[in-house]
Structure formats: C-alpha cells, structure tokens
Amino acid sequence: MLSVLATECEMVLGLLNHMLDPDAAVIWKRVLCMEVFRGIHAEPALVRSIYAHFDEQDGKRDIIRNHMAIMVRLAAEKPSIIGLGQQSTIPAISSQVEDESDEQAALQAEGVAGTIGAAMTLRSSAAPGISTYGSNMRIPCIEQLDKLEPPSVPPAYLYSLVLTCVTSFSEGLARFLLPFSIPVEVRSKKKQRPIKDDEQQETETPEKDERPVMARKPRLTRSQSISGSKLPINPLSLESHVLYSQIRGSASMVDTCWPALLATYSTFFHAALDSEYYHSLVRSFQKFSQVAGLLGLSTPRDAFLTTLGKNAVPPSVVSAFAIPSSALHMAERRDARRRENGFQGSESKLGPLPNTTVDKPRQSVDLGGVTLNTRNLLCLRALVNLGIALGPILQSAWSIILETLQQADLVITHISLQRRGTHNGQTTPIAGTDNAFVGDIGNEIAAVNTAATRMFESCRDLPDEAFLDVVRSLKGLLRDLHSYEDRDVVRNPVSAQRPSTHRRTTSTAGTIPGLDQDVRLNEFVVESMSKLIDYNTPRLLEKPPEENGWEIIVGTLINVLSAQQFDTDLRLRAASTLSTLVNLTANPDIFEDVRDQVRWQGLAALNWQINSLYPSDGNDSKASKACEQDLHNLALETMHGVLEQYGDVLNLGWDYVFSIVSSVFEEPSKLREGSKTQGQMDSILPEVVLTKSPKLVRSAFGSLQLIGSEFLSSVPKECLSNLLLTMYYFCCQQDDFNISLTSTTLFLNVSDHFWNDKGTLDLQDCKDAIDAIPRNGPWTTDEDNATEYAVIWLQLLLLLVDSTTDPRLEVRHSALHTIFRILDTSAEKLRPEDLIVCQQLVVLRILSRNETAYQIGKASNVSDQLKEVLNWNETAGIMLNDISGLFGQYLQAMVKQIRFQDVWEPFGQYLQSFLQRRSLTLSAAVYTSIGRILSAESEKADIFPCTILAWNLWRKENPAHHTDLLTSKPGENQVALLAYVRCFAQIYVLMDDAIDAKQVSSVLEQLLICATLSSPTPYSGDIDNMSPLQHEIVSSLRMIRTGIVGTAATLISSMASFITLPYKRDDTLSEQRGPTFVALSKAVMDLIRECITNHLDEKSLYSGSSLSEALNSLIMPIRLKYRWHIDGKDPSLWKKATTTILNILKGIIPKLNELQSQDSDISPIWRNMIDSCDAIISASQPAFAFPTDINIDEDFDIAAFHQLNSMFVPVLGSNFVTDKLRRTFSESLFKNSIIHEPHPDDLPHPDQELLDCLRSTHIGRTQDLPPSSRSKMAYVLVDKLFHLVAEHDGSKERVKLAQAAAPYLILRVGLVLKAYLLDQPLRGRMPQPTSQKVEMLYILRRLVELDCEPRAIPDAPGVVSEHKKHLYRIYGLATKALRVARRNEEMQKALTQIIETVSLDFGV
C-alpha cells in the first residue's frame, strides 16, 4: 500500500505526527493518533517499510525520526502525570491492588535490615504514574463507536501509549536483526539442543530470579577451543543476504533514532511505572542496546549502556556514599555480605584475614531516602546480561558494565554496614526495620550475583582481544593508585622483554567526584580478577602473555598488593589471587611446548611481586611493613609449593627462583657498629647479612632446602653461582641459628652433585680465576666448561671458608666439618697436584683467617675478650683435627709433589702460632694433628722434612707450661700432655737414627716435666694404675734405644727422677691435689732395673752418677716406708723399691771387684749399698701410726736384710771399702738393734769416745719402757753384731769387719747392763719389765757364747784371753749388776756365769 499510496500515506502519517503536538489537537485526538502508531509499531515490518519509503528517501518526510522526536516531547510533556522523579517509583493505586504487588511491598518497606538500607516511601498521591490498572482504557478510543461526547481518557493513557510504542519499536528491531547475528555453527548447535527456559529468560527477560550456577573447570586438552565461541555476526556484513536492504535500513533507523529513543527511555526510567511496564521498559531497552552493539554502533551502544548503568546505580546514591573511609572493618564487611548473600558473594582464598585498623574516625552518614531498590537491581541485571551477549564486541564499553557492578557492590555493602550497629561484638539491626521483605530483595541480589558470575564465566569463551578488553577495563577501575604509580617500582620482568600493548582505559561511565578515593572499590577488581583467572585457566596457560592478558592481570594485582595506602585485607587478597594464578602453572597437563614459558612467567610474577613491595625511599610505616612481610611470605610459600610440584623438570626461571629466595635479605654489609677493629675484621669476617624478617627467612629456606636436596640436577650451570651465594647468605644470617647450621650442610649436596655430574675436575690454573671472582655477587667466568665447574667448586669451598670466621661458634664449626667432608669425599677423585691446590686455596686460608681473628679478638678491649679467645681456640682445634685427617690420609701422595713444601712449611708456621697461644686445648689439638699426620703410611725418607718440622715444634713447646685461660693457672692438661707424649712417640719412630744422647736428654727432661706438672686424672687416681699420660710416658721411656754412647746413663738418671716423684710433690702448694705418681714410680722401677741389668758391662754406668742416683731414688721409698702414707695395692712402693734395689745390687756387686782392680772410684756405690741396708733395717717413727701388718713388713725386711747381707757383707771388708763405711754399717746395725730406748746420757756424743758414755752415771728410770715395734728385726741385728765380731776364718776382710763392729757390740751390751743397774734399784721389790728382762738374758747368754775375733778388740794389760776379750770390756758393769740382781735368781745366775767365764779365761 505504501508503494501505491506513497504520497497519501506520507501525508497521513505526517498528519498523525502533527496531531500529537499538544497545540494541534485535543487529548482524545492525540490518543487516537497514538493508538494508530501503536498499531504501526506492533508490525515491525511496517515500521521498516515506512522508514525505507520516507525517511531514507530524499525529499520525503522523516516519518519515523519525527515520530521519535515527538515522543520525546510527549513523554516529558506533563511530568506530574507520569510521576517523574529522581528514580522510578510505583504509581499510587488502590490498597487492594497494592497488596497484590510483592514488588510494591518491597519498595514501600521502610527498611531492609542488613541488605540495602532504608527505602523511600513510595506511596504518594502526587505521582499517579503509569500502570496497567489506572493508565489503560477498557476499550481503546479507536475501537469505540461514534459518540456525541469524547470518551473519558485517563490522564496517563497517552503516555502509556508512548511507552508501548517505544518498547514495541525496540523489540521489533531486535526480533528482526538478532537472528542475523547468530553464527551458523551456533545455530546448528541450537537446533540440536532445545533452549531451556531459564536460558531464554536470561537472554531475553531479566524478570525471573536466577540461581547461581558454578562453572566446572575443564581439563586442558588440545581439542578444547580457547579462543572462545565465534564472534557474533554484524548483520551489516551480510551484503549478499536477500534482506540486506531491510538490514541496512534497520541499522540506519537505529543510528538516526537512538538519540530520541534514548531521551524517551530516560524519561520513563524516572517515571512512576508499575511492575509490568517497568519490566517491559527494561527489556526493550536491553534489546535496543544489544542491537546497537551487534550493528557495531559504538556511540549508541555506549550511550545506552551508560544510561542503564546510571539507572542501576543512580549517581545520587553513589554520591551519598563517596565519603572518606569510616572505621568499618573489612572483616565486618565480609561477614555482612556472607550473611546477606551479598552481591559478589565470593570469599577470599586467603581464608580469614586479619582485621585492618583504620586510623580515620568514624563518620555518621544521613542515608535519608537514598537506596537501591529492586528496579535498580533489575537494570543492573539487564546490564550484566548485555555484557554476556555483547562480550566479544564490547571493547572499551566493558568498563561501563564493570564500573557499574563496582559501584553497586560498594553501595550495597556500605549501606548494609551503616544500617547495622554493633553491641558487644554482636550485630544488631537498627530498631524499626522490617525484615519481612529481606527475601524479596535478597532474591533479586542473588539473581544479579548469578548473572554477574555467568558474565565472568562467559569470558572464557571470548576471543583473546575481547578478553584483553575485559582485563584492561578491570585494571582501569583501580582507585587511589596515584601515590603508588609515581613510585620507582621494579619493572615487570615479563613486560620488560616485551613492549607493553595497552594503556589504562578510562571508564566512560559517569565518574562521581571523590569516589575514586575509596580504596574499598578495589576489592571488586581483585575479586573479579580472581574469577577471570578461575574461568580462563586454559587461556592463561597456553597463549602468549601479551595475548592472554597475563601481564595485565599480574600487573593489576601487583598494583593493588604493593599500594601501601590500601587496606591490608585487600592487599592480601590480591596476593592470594596472584598466588592462585602462579599455582596454575604447576598443572602437569600444560602442553610441553608452552610449559617452560608458562612456568617462567609464574616465577617472574612472584619476583615482580616481591620487588614491588619495598620502595626505594624506604619510608614505610610499621603497619605497612607487617603487611608487606605477610605478602612477601605468601609469595615465598607459593614458590615453595610450585617447586615441590615441578622443580625436578624446571628448565627456565631459575634466576627468578634464586632472586625470590634471596629477597629475604637486605644488601650485604660488613659494617659493625662500635667495633674498634672494624677495618681489620672486614678482611676475615663473613658477610653481615641483614634479613627482612625471621619468618621470611624460614619460609625462603624451605625452598632452598628443597632445591639443595632434590632439584640440583635441574639447576642450570649459569645459576649455580646464585645457588651458592644464596646458601652462603642463609649461612651468614643471624635470625635463625638452625638454618645457619643446616645451610652449611647443603654445600655438601652441591659438591656431591658436581662430582656425580662431572666425574673429574681439573683444579690447575684455577687460582687466577678464583681471585677474580667477587665476594658478594654472582659471577661468570670465561673459562671452558670443565674449568668453570672446577672454579665453581672451589668457590663453593671458599664461601664455606668465609663461614669459618662466623661469630657463632657452632656455625663455623659446622662449616669446617662440611669443608673437610667435601674434601674427604672428593680427594679420591683428585690428582695429587689438585690436592695441593686445595691445600693452598682452602686449608691455608682457613688457618690464616682463624689466626687473624684470634689476634684481633685478643687485642680488643671488649668485656668478653676471654670468651672470644677461647672460642677461636676451640675452632682452631676442630680445624686441626679435620686438617690432620686430610693430610694423614693423602700424605704419601702429596709429599712427592714439588709444591708440597709450599703447603707444609706455612702449615708448620701456623702450628707454631697456635702453640704460642699457650692454650691447653689447642696445644692438644696441635700435637694430636702432628701425630696423626706422621702416622700415615709412607716412607721415612719421603716425610723426613715433615718429621724435622714436627721435632722442632715438639722440643720447643711443652704444653705443661701452658695454662687454663679462664683462671690463668695450670689447668686440666692431661689431654694436652698425652697428645704431646704420643706425638713424641711418632716422631721418635721416624727419626730415631737422627737423635743423639744430648737430644735424648732433652726428651727425657720434657717427659719429666710432663709427669711433674700434669694435672690429676679426672674420676680416677693413679695409685693403683697409671693414668693414660703416665702410661704413655713409660712407653716412651721404654722405646728409647740405649745403643748410643751415654744414652743408658742419661736414661737411668732420668728414670731415677721419675721414681722419687711421689715424694717430691707438695699438696699444700696447690688448691687441688695433684697426681700421686705411685703407679708411675713402680713402673719406672721395673724399667730402671731392666736398664741397669742390661748395661752392667758398661763402665760409664759406674763412672758417672747415674747408678748412684738410681740407687738413691730407690732408697728413698724404703727409708720413708712409714712416713709416707700412700701405697696402693701390693706391693707397696717401698717393698717394690726394696725388691728392685736387691735385684740391682745382685747384678752390680760382682762387677765391683773388677772395677776395683781398675782403680775406678766406686765409693759412692758402696755408700749407696750401706744406705740401702740401713733403709731396709730401719723403721722411722711413722707419720700417723704403725700399720696393722707391721709384722709382715718386718718379716719382709728381715728377709731382704739377709739377702742383702749375703751379697755385700763378704766384700765389705775389702781394702777398697773404707773403714768409715764399715763403721757406718756397724753403727746402722747398732742403732736399729736397740729394743728399748736408752737414756740420752747413755748414748755417745759426737765429741767423745764411743764407749765413754758407759762410765757416766745418772738417775735411773722406773717407768716401763715399751719395746721396739720391730723387736724381731732388733734381735736379728743383735745377732748380726755378734756374728760380725765372732771369729771366722781369720781373713783380713773378716778382721776388719770385726774391728768395725766390736765397739758397737760392747756399747750395745753395756747399754743393757747400765740401764739395769741404774733402774732396778729404784724399783725396789718390783720385778724388772719382762721385755727388758728377756732382752738382758738373751744378750748375757750370747756374751757367754761368743768367741770373738782375737784381733777385733785390742789387748788389755794383764789380759791373756784371745776369744773372750769382749767380756773384759763389760766386766765392771757385770759385777755391779750382780749386786743388784741378788733378789732375781735367774738374772743373778746369768751374771754369775759371765763373772765365772771371765775368771776362768783370765786365770782368776
């Protein structure tokens, strides 16, 4: 018809448009015109045809465009009729109908507790609005019959017709154009699968509630399409389509009519509409927006999206909450949202986050009538659905949708928290609120939440460029980043190698002043990024980072987590999201061709995250530092987790791994505040590594330990230096002692890895490369591959060498043990010349650093100087123990090398320095090390230079003179002296031929010093058994060979000193008792007996003083038998000496005759024999009391005396023995034969003759005199005197003995008789004491029996007897005693017999 009646139709339609003008016609006519247009719009094809015939034709009226413009004016003609206001409301209707509207009830509620805050009071008679019940006519005007009066038209009927025309126009365009945008593949799939009702409702009507649908993460497969579904087809591109002209016309109609249409929609969005009209309005608006988007008309699309966003979150609502952050905790916000099933509804993967303290004061907000209602949420859901429908082609318009969601999230949460109060930690609704409608609004919010979730889920099907638009838009929503973006932040390591392809996109939505100051808006960005990561895992793991949005996502999250002005909760949430992203890279199903690159990206992201946490200015608050440490720790734990999963197959990114692990340290510094020796210590102390936090150190070390124990084979050669430095830093850090100890052991694993991987290493020519390596940074060398490994291995050892001067004792000891375990396990694979290199570069450097540290510590003035010195000595001891093991094991191989002396001589110098410290512990270590080295199996000639060096050290430094550094007094030196003596034994074995008698004397002197100055043995004595030191001394004495002239005499003299050691010690001069030397003395007695016996034929034995010294040393224990109280087990020391001296004399006495004939001076030996006899027969007064077994001792001495008497008495009368010695012997017999102590006046004085004392008189004694405790020995000696004076063979020897003994025999008898005649008269009738009586009777009887040697006693005048001359000498005493003994018949008889014998023999 239009083509036939084009002019007429143009006129009619133009007239109809004109009649709509308020000035052109009355109301009912205008209504009729609109009803006509309502019919036209009900036929979309007719609308297209009208537009094509008139609007698109030149010279024709613009029917449709004019109609759209007229509807703009018409809609806003009378705002009061349609209830125009700030936002859409519900018309005022009857209460009966009102009760039937759930939505109206929800909107009229005075408040919804905990969800959306207070609502406006919508029941208003001043805003009638448009409704199905009050704005429609039962019979349209056009259908009514002709009447005289015009029909009654409701005031809002005309405007309801305008609204109907607008919605019909939009839906007609959508019904025609939308099918053309569906790709063919999608159509075929839809034919195979019926569309479900809920899907249809989601895409077409946002009226029904939706339920959340959780997307299931697909497993990565190559068949899966990551590029997403096909892009929707722009209908304008279908030029060959039969309906292309209509498509193009429809597009033209959209392009020309959208401003008027948008203005009309905007009017009705603020009008009072009932639910049906409002849903229709939103539905048609959504469809027109979708059509504009599909046609590629970005301007109308963005305009409609912006309008829909403003109706979803009105600017007035957002402005009301654009205030500085109040003191609302993030935790409260999460709790409120969880209780109310809030908009975003996703909990952070971090779990419970710490509360964030907000410094700003709480501010009260007057909410008034500002709120979000169900219609706002309906618009919001429509906007989200547009995002789902137009996602692939939205481009920058994504920011409109996302920012609207961001604002809605802020408003809903903010209102919810402000509407609640807190009392004692319990959330309580404000009084007066009504909870009856929580479910209605909550359901709408849940529907929006589900739609938003599905929108993010649909992003996984977007093409790469469209997905980039989404993440760019999200990044553009970050607020309050100005202070961070100006900072000097480490550049993204991913984008550093690829140029950036995007800029921050500024949102086209209405920006509300002050809103971007609210940091809480950024939580939406973080949560949205988290969802995008969850739904786009395949894309992120397979596409290049510049195509899949990796760089933008990582950069956005790092921008948030590194912004110090943000809340801690938000920063931790962003870090958790980034950790989730990095954890995805550990997926074992990632395709091999991209796996390494993806994992490299993940590690680079973690490294970027950590570097961004610490600004260059360093001006961080305390709270910010705590948060950054938590963020740092999360990154470390994330890396540890991914390493556990793919560390064994990681090929790229190791540099980032070590950078992340090392990030817990500050810049290395060796400066020590307050140290006066700072400059000196700087050369030998390890790095002073400062850490950011002990917690971070522990987290990072877990990864390092994992690498060092499990993944060394995966670490590339280029990163080995980083690995070693990282381990070194952990060893030097001071925060965790156990980590420092464990770090040293990791070096052993790395060394084993080198050897297992390379097999052999050539260490020659590595010294120059080692010297060129920086001490505190990674390094590379220009050497070939094999040499580079050797250099790295040596640097591993040198880093441990640095740790040997760590201030902590246990750490440096652990480093030492690790060094030598490495050398021990590697030495078998090294050539001898390489071992020399190790000794030079490692061992000597260790010794040098220890010596330097000791000297500095000794010179310091710190209060704990002594402790420092002791610690360094202890370290040196451990060091020497390990070094000696290495030297000893491989000495035979190294000693043949030309450069061996370059190692051994400096080593000897360090040993001498250690000995000069005069530390017992260190001295023990030195000599133990020397002995251990020299004990290695090798030829004497090869190691002779080593032996000479050891000998020179040994003879110069005796540790017996060293002291306990703690007390500055002699300390526990048993260990040191034991090592010293054992070292001599090893030295003597190797150089016995080179030691002469003079050197032997020096050795014996040092051994004697060791024994004399040794400390007591802990927990055991040396009375019954020798101490280990004494045992070693005896062994050393025994091993000395006496073949060299003079050696035997020197050895015997020295051993004599050892024998007398028990008697020379003075316990009163020391605070603690020293060793007793009893067992040592006994052992040396056996040695000296053997030595003398073996050298009886040597003249030097007798010519010198050695034999005399030996005999004197043995006489001392015998003489002090009862004056020295320490004996131990049998035999006692004096008995052992007695037996030893008897055995010695038994061998030497026969040799004396031979020596006498050679005019040798052996008188000292005779004197020693007489002294030994005197010692045996005597028993001086004991220091305490005589022992209970004195009779046994007496029998022992008697037997010894008899044995000795039989050996030397026969030769005692020879001409080579002086009379003085014989008189000394006789005097000894006389003194020890006395049974009862005589009166002092009865004994001869030095200035008188021997027998003159018998003529003196004095007052007698009446007390009973106790007999001698050794009476038996006394009787034996009495008999011996009688025996010596008795007649034998008449030889000159016997005569001389008789002459020497006769005076003492007469004196011995005279003392008995004199005591009797002086004492007995005083007793009266009391009998003589029995013991004295027995003694007197025994002597009188022996006098009578004795036939003395005729020449023993000089002749007296008138005396002619030859054998009874002794009776004449005591005759006067006998006659006097006879007068006293008149009452004692037995005594009288004995005395009478003497008188008679004298009378008969002298002829009286």
Side-chain angles (χ1 to χ4, degrees), residues 60-133:
K60 298 291 185 179
R61 293 183 180 181
D62 295 331
I63 302 300
I64 299 300
R65 278 183 280 188
N66 290 340
H67 178 64
M68 292 293 120
I70 291 172
M71 285 197 294
V72 174
R73 295 192 299 272
L74 186 59
E77 182 179 298
K78 293 183 179 181
S80 60
I81 294 177
I82 63 175
L84 194 65
Q86 292 292 327
Q87 59 180 346
S88 179
T89 58
I90 294 178
I93 56 177
S94 62
S95 58
Q96 292 83 0
V97 177
E98 179 181 332
D99 293 339
E100 298 174 4
S101 175
D102 293 338
E103 180 191 12
Q104 180 181 359
L107 291 173
Q108 289 177 343
E110 291 184 1
V112 180
T115 305
I116 62 172
M120 293 178 60
T121 303
L122 301 176
R123 188 175 299 173
S124 175
S125 59
I130 303 173
S131 64
T132 304
Y133 301 99

Side-chain angles (χ1 to χ4, degrees), residues 374-393:
T374 55
R375 294 192 172 181
N376 298 131
L377 298 178
L378 187 65
C379 294
L380 182 60
R381 184 148 55 102
L383 184 65
V384 173
N385 288 335
L386 284 174
I388 297 174
L390 300 178
I393 55 176

Side-chain angles (χ1 to χ4, degrees), residues 979-1213:
Y980 180 75
V981 176
R982 286 175 176 172
C983 179
F984 162 74
Q986 193 61 47
I987 294 173
Y988 190 77
V989 169
L990 297 174
M991 59 177 302
D992 58 335
D993 298 336
I995 296 180
D996 55 20
K998 183 178 180 180
Q999 291 173 330
V1000 169
S1001 177
S1002 176
V1003 169
L1004 295 173
E1005 180 182 356
Q1006 297 301 327
L1007 293 178
L1008 180 61
I1009 292 174
C1010 290
T1012 305
L1013 300 182
S1014 63
S1015 60
T1017 306
Y1019 312 112
S1020 63
D1022 63 340
I1023 299 176
D1024 295 333
N1025 298 291
M1026 290 185 292
S1027 66
L1029 171 62
Q1030 294 169 357
H1031 187 275
E1032 289 296 330
I1033 291 175
V1034 171
S1035 299
S1036 298
L1037 294 174
R1038 189 185 299 276
M1039 72 184 300
I1040 294 177
R1041 286 176 283 276
T1042 56
I1044 303 173
V1045 176
T1047 303
T1050 303
L1051 179 60
I1052 292 171
S1053 297
S1054 178
M1055 288 191 290
S1057 300
F1058 282 98
I1059 293 174
T1060 59
L1061 282 178
Y1063 306 95
K1064 294 180 179 180
R1065 58 189 295 271
D1066 189 355
D1067 294 339
T1068 62
L1069 299 179
S1070 60
E1071 296 180 359
Q1072 62 176 3
R1073 296 180 53 134
T1076 64
F1077 306 110
V1078 172
L1080 173 64
S1081 181
K1082 292 178 181 180
V1084 176
M1085 289 177 186
D1086 291 332
L1087 285 181
I1088 202 170
R1089 173 184 57 78
E1090 293 176 6
C1091 184
I1092 293 174
T1093 303
N1094 294 334
H1095 297 82
L1096 291 174
D1097 297 330
E1098 292 186 12
K1099 295 180 181 181
S1100 59
L1101 180 66
Y1102 307 94
S1103 60
S1105 62
S1106 59
L1107 182 57
S1108 178
E1109 292 174 0
L1111 295 174
N1112 283 330
S1113 67
L1114 293 170
I1115 291 170
M1116 180 181 290
I1118 304 172
R1119 194 175 296 282
L1120 299 176
K1121 64 182 71 173
Y1122 292 136
R1123 296 193 61 82
W1124 197 77
H1125 57 279
I1126 303 175
D1127 276 329
K1129 65 181 180 180
D1130 287 335
S1132 61
L1133 195 57
W1134 67 270
K1135 289 182 179 180
K1136 181 72 174 178
T1138 301
T1139 304
T1140 303
I1141 201 169
L1142 290 176
N1143 291 330
I1144 293 174
L1145 293 177
K1146 184 179 180 180
I1148 66 174
I1149 289 177
K1151 299 293 182 180
L1152 293 180
N1153 292 328
E1154 299 177 9
L1155 294 173
Q1156 289 172 352
S1157 62
Q1158 300 174 5
D1159 298 330
S1160 298
D1161 184 12
I1162 58 173
S1163 58
I1165 301 176
W1166 285 108
R1167 188 179 300 109
N1168 294 139
M1169 287 190 290
I1170 294 172
D1171 290 342
S1172 63
C1173 180
D1174 180 70
I1176 292 173
I1177 63 178
S1178 64
S1180 57
Q1181 183 66 29
F1184 300 96
F1186 283 111
T1188 57
D1189 55 353
I1190 189 173
N1191 294 329
I1192 299 176
D1193 296 343
E1194 187 179 20
D1195 293 338
F1196 177 84
D1197 283 343
I1198 292 173
F1201 173 72
H1202 288 313
Q1203 184 178 357
L1204 180 61
N1205 183 69
S1206 63
M1207 289 188 293
F1208 83 91
V1209 169
V1211 296
L1212 192 60

Side-chain angles (χ1 to χ4, degrees), residues 36 63 180 384 390 637 639 877 884 935 946 967 1100 1348:
V36 172
I63 302 300
F180 295 110
V384 173
L390 300 178
E637 291 178 351
M639 188 190 69
S884 63
S935 64
C946 302
T967 61
S1100 59
C1348 68

Side-chain angles (χ1 to χ4, degrees), residues 786-951:
T787 305
E788 184 174 3
Y789 269 104
V791 171
I792 294 176
W793 184 74
L794 284 175
Q795 187 63 17
L796 176 150
L797 293 173
L798 294 182
L799 288 174
L800 282 173
V801 169
D802 285 349
S803 298
T804 59
T805 52
D806 192 281
R808 296 162 295 178
L809 183 67
E810 295 81 0
V811 173
R812 59 178 182 254
H813 289 179
S814 178
L816 283 172
H817 291 318
T818 303
I819 288 174
F820 289 101
R821 285 181 63 189
I822 291 174
L823 292 176
D824 184 58
T825 56
S826 307
E828 294 181 357
K829 303 175 184 178
L830 290 173
R831 297 173 302 174
E833 54 268 28
D834 293 334
L835 284 173
I836 298 296
V837 174
C838 289
Q839 300 286 356
Q840 287 180 308
L841 294 179
V842 179
V843 175
L844 294 182
R845 189 170 298 191
I846 293 175
L847 296 169
S848 174
R849 293 171 70 86
N850 182 273
E851 178 64 18
T852 304
Y854 169 80
Q855 296 297 338
I856 295 174
K858 184 179 179 181
S860 63
N861 295 324
V862 295
S863 58
D864 57 348
Q865 171 191 5
L866 181 58
K867 180 180 179 182
E868 193 75 12
V869 169
L870 289 174
N871 287 341
W872 287 115
N873 286 341
E874 183 178 350
T875 301
I878 294 177
M879 179 192 315
L880 291 175
N881 180 63
D882 292 332
I883 292 175
S884 63
L886 182 65
F887 264 113
Q889 188 173 1
Y890 301 101
L891 181 64
Q892 186 174 4
M894 292 189 297
V895 76
K896 297 180 181 180
Q897 300 299 314
I898 299 176
R899 299 170 61 186
F900 176 72
Q901 288 302 318
D902 297 340
V903 175
W904 184 253
E905 291 181 0
F907 178 65
Q909 294 173 1
Y910 287 120
L911 292 181
Q912 185 173 3
S913 299
F914 291 160
L915 290 174
Q916 291 173 353
R917 298 184 189 181
R918 304 182 68 82
S919 167
L920 290 173
T921 303
L922 185 55
S923 299
V926 170
Y927 288 114
T928 300
S929 301
I930 294 175
R932 189 176 181 184
I933 293 172
L934 297 181
S935 64
E937 294 182 2
S938 56
E939 297 294 333
K940 289 184 180 182
D942 293 338
I943 65 171
F944 187 75
C946 302
T947 309
I948 292 298
L949 184 147
W951 164 250

Side-chain angles (χ1 to χ4, degrees), residues 1339-1388:
I1339 290 176
L1340 293 176
R1341 185 178 69 252
R1342 290 300 310 270
L1343 281 173
V1344 174
E1345 295 174 355
L1346 175 63
D1347 289 334
C1348 68
E1349 171 63 38
R1351 291 174 288 181
I1353 300 174
D1355 293 335
V1359 178
V1360 295
S1361 176
E1362 293 184 356
H1363 300 292
K1364 299 297 182 179
K1365 292 180 181 180
H1366 57 284
L1367 295 178
Y1368 174 77
R1369 301 292 181 180
I1370 53 99
Y1371 180 77
L1373 292 175
T1375 57
K1376 293 178 182 179
L1378 181 61
R1379 289 194 295 267
V1380 175
R1382 62 182 178 271
R1383 293 187 180 93
N1384 189 337
E1385 295 180 2
E1386 188 177 4
M1387 190 63 65
Q1388 187 177 14

